[in-house]
Amino acid sequence: MKNVIRGIVALSVLAGAVTLSAQTADEIINKHVAAIGGKEAIGKVKSLSMETSVQVMGNDAPSSTVIVDGVGYKTETDFNGSKIIQCYNDKGGWNVNPMAGAADPTPMTDDEYKAGQDQIHVGGALYDYAAKGNKIELVSKDAGTYKIKVTAKDNSESTYVIDGTTYYVKSVMAKGQMQGQSVDVTTTFSDYRKTELGYVIPYAMDIDLGGQFSLSISVKKVEFNKTIDPAIFAMPKAAAPAAAPGKGL
């Protein structure tokens, strides 16, 4: 009897392994899209506004994020009296970071832009990936997860780890910049919740920049389809320097 039970258990484990390994990248992504609400729910989201809190270096900084699908992504964080801005649009990106000596809007480098350009799309890089010009490849499957490599049309690469049970994205790894050096940026997602439109999003994110720097983001409030002026994603001109005493008109 013990041998029979062991055989049944072994067959069950084998069957689970076969189920996990037999799926193609497209099948996995289709299940992921279904898990986060499906095309109908995602298609309802034209804009997304979030109030968040960023925990960094022992401080809790209020932050806000605005996304207009396919148009732009902008996040603003108030940190110790300084406003830090990160913005992407469909052409490029720009930053404002007084703490790094960039008080005026500064264009992103190509590597910085490539690392975050997918954020302008509701649903992320996996949703409707072919229409975005992305290519996908299932690179491994282990411990109940799948790893899918996404190659964008500009040849930048990122690796998505998808949970084999929920089909939510557990983490994304891509190349980024930290103090002028290339680092592996890993974003881990958790606390997924279904919103009023049926679209499921993570309410907690942990970002690690190559072990040199890390921060955590928690979502406090989400609003959909507010009217947002696309002009907010354009890089503003730097403020003109103040005229020296006696030099004014």
Side-chain angles (χ1 to χ4, degrees):
M1 178 61 71
K2 288 183 178 179
N3 288 336
V4 171
I5 293 174
R6 288 172 183 165
I8 293 173
V9 171
L11 286 172
S12 298
V13 171
L14 179 60
V18 169
T19 300
L20 185 67
S21 63
Q23 298 186 81
T24 66
D26 271 318
E27 289 171 335
I28 295 163
I29 289 176
N30 287 341
K31 289 186 177 181
H32 162 68
V33 171
I36 62 172
K39 290 187 175 182
E40 183 177 356
I42 299 170
K44 293 177 182 177
V45 183
K46 306 307 178 185
S47 73
L48 177 64
S49 305
M50 294 188 292
E51 293 179 10
T52 60
S53 177
V54 180
Q55 295 79 45
V56 56
M57 295 189 297
N59 294 283
D60 194 351
S63 181
S64 63
T65 299
V66 175
I67 303 170
V68 175
D69 188 31
V71 176
Y73 167 100
K74 186 177 185 180
T75 181
E76 300 185 20
T77 304
D78 292 315
F79 186 74
N80 288 342
S82 296
K83 179 169 286 189
I84 300 170
I85 301 174
Q86 185 180 56
C87 187
Y88 299 85
N89 55 48
D90 60 344
K91 301 287 192 302
W94 52 275
N95 296 304
V96 175
N97 189 353
M99 300 185 67
D104 291 324
T106 304
M108 290 183 181
T109 65
D110 287 343
D111 288 340
E112 285 179 304
Y113 179 67
K114 289 176 181 178
Q117 61 184 323
D118 286 329
Q119 295 177 99
I120 74 171
H121 296 290
V122 172
L126 298 180
Y127 174 66
D128 207 12
Y129 71 89
K132 297 183 176 82
N134 296 336
K135 297 178 181 178
I136 60 168
E137 178 187 356
L138 177 60
V139 294
S140 69
K141 38 194 176 293
D142 56 76
T145 62
Y146 299 99
K147 286 186 179 180
I148 291 180
K149 182 174 75 172
V150 178
T151 304
K153 58 185 177 183
D154 60 10
N155 291 322
S156 59
E157 297 179 351
S158 53
T159 301
Y160 284 69
V161 178
I162 298 178
D163 187 284
T165 301
T166 64
Y167 288 91
Y168 294 153
V169 172
K170 296 180 67 175
S171 64
V172 179
M173 192 277 285
K175 290 292 182 183
Q177 292 285 318
M178 180 69 178
Q179 297 179 340
Q181 296 183 337
S182 178
V183 296
D184 290 332
V185 179
T186 302
T187 304
T188 303
F189 303 93
S190 59
D191 192 16
Y192 278 86
R193 303 182 195 178
K194 181 180 286 189
T195 62
E196 61 194 55
L197 294 184
Y199 180 39
V200 179
I201 63 173
Y203 272 62
M205 290 151 275
D206 295 298
I207 303 173
D208 178 80
L209 287 88
Q212 300 182 39
F213 184 77
S214 62
L215 56 89
S216 297
I217 301 172
S218 55
V219 177
K220 304 299 183 183
K221 182 180 178 180
V222 179
E223 293 180 279
F224 293 103
N225 298 333
K226 294 175 65 176
T227 301
I228 297 167
D229 186 353
I232 69 168
F233 304 115
M235 189 175 77
K237 294 180 180 179
K247 300 292 185 180
L249 296 177

